[in-house]
Amino acid sequence: MNTGSNEAGEVVTAAHGVTVDESERRDERGLGSRAPEFVKARRALHLSWQVGVFVVGLAVVVAGVLMLVLPGPGWVVIFGGMAIWATEFVWAQLVLRWTKRKVTEAAQRALDPRVRRRNIILTSVGLVIVAALAGFYLWKFGLQMPWKIKDQ
C-alpha cells in the first residue's frame, strides 16, 4: 500500500486484493475527533473527553520515553501514545500520517538491492572488526575478566 502519495484519486490495492480509491479512504477517515456523537454534542463533556485522552496519551508517551533508557519497547509505546492522541487531535493524526509515510519509504529503500548489498558489506566489516578486537583481547589478557573476582 502506498501511504506516501498525496495524489487524489490514486488507486491502491488492499491486502485482500480489493482496490480502494485513495481519496475515498481519506474522506472516510477524515481528520478530527473520533469521540462518540453524544460526547461531541455537549461541549463540557467533549472538553472533558479531550482532557482525558490527552492525559492517557501523555502517560503512555512518558512511559515510552522512560523505556528508551530503561528496558522495554520505547518507540513502540511512544507511537502507541501518539495513536491515542490521534483519536482526538488533528496534529497527532498528521504526525502519525507523516511517520507512516516515512517508515514506508524507508522500508522500500531498504529493499533496494544496492542498499541491501551495502548493509551486508557494512555488517560484515563490523563483525570482522569486533572479532579482531575480541581476538586481540583474548591474546593479550586471556580469559581473565578485567576486574578481580578472587577477593570475594
Side-chain angles (χ1 to χ4, degrees):
M1 176 162 52
N2 184 6
T3 59
S5 174
N6 291 329
E7 303 280 330
E10 180 175 334
V11 175
V12 177
T13 303
H16 48 76
V18 177
T19 58
V20 179
D21 190 339
E22 183 75 20
S23 62
E24 288 176 12
R25 273 192 344 164
R26 203 171 286 136
D27 292 339
E28 187 177 42
R29 296 182 317 153
L31 298 174
S33 176
R34 305 267 196 295
E37 290 302 320
F38 75 92
V39 172
K40 287 189 216 178
R42 294 162 184 83
R43 180 150 174 73
L45 189 56
H46 192 232
L47 185 61
S48 302
W49 178 275
Q50 286 182 328
V51 168
V53 167
F54 182 79
V55 169
V56 170
L58 182 65
V60 173
V61 168
V62 167
V65 169
L66 289 174
M67 286 182 199
L68 291 176
V69 293
L70 299 172
W75 286 110
V76 173
V77 174
I78 289 172
F79 290 127
M82 289 296 296
I84 291 171
W85 278 339
T87 63
E88 200 57 36
F89 303 108
V90 173
W91 61 267
Q93 293 169 2
L94 295 174
V95 168
L96 275 181
R97 283 185 183 181
W98 179 84
T99 304
K100 287 178 185 177
R101 186 171 58 246
K102 291 299 177 183
V103 167
T104 302
E105 290 171 5
Q108 289 174 349
R109 276 196 312 269
L111 294 176
D112 181 22
R114 291 178 300 185
V115 173
R116 290 184 69 191
R117 190 176 315 120
R118 182 199 65 198
N119 290 346
I120 289 171
I121 290 170
L122 288 175
T123 302
S124 301
V125 168
L127 288 174
V128 167
I129 291 171
V130 168
L133 290 174
F136 176 75
Y137 180 85
L138 289 173
W139 172 72
K140 187 78 173 165
F141 301 107
L143 285 175
Q144 290 181 344
M145 294 295 162
W147 54 86
K148 296 186 182 204
I149 299 177
K150 297 175 186 172
D151 295 339
Q152 294 182 4

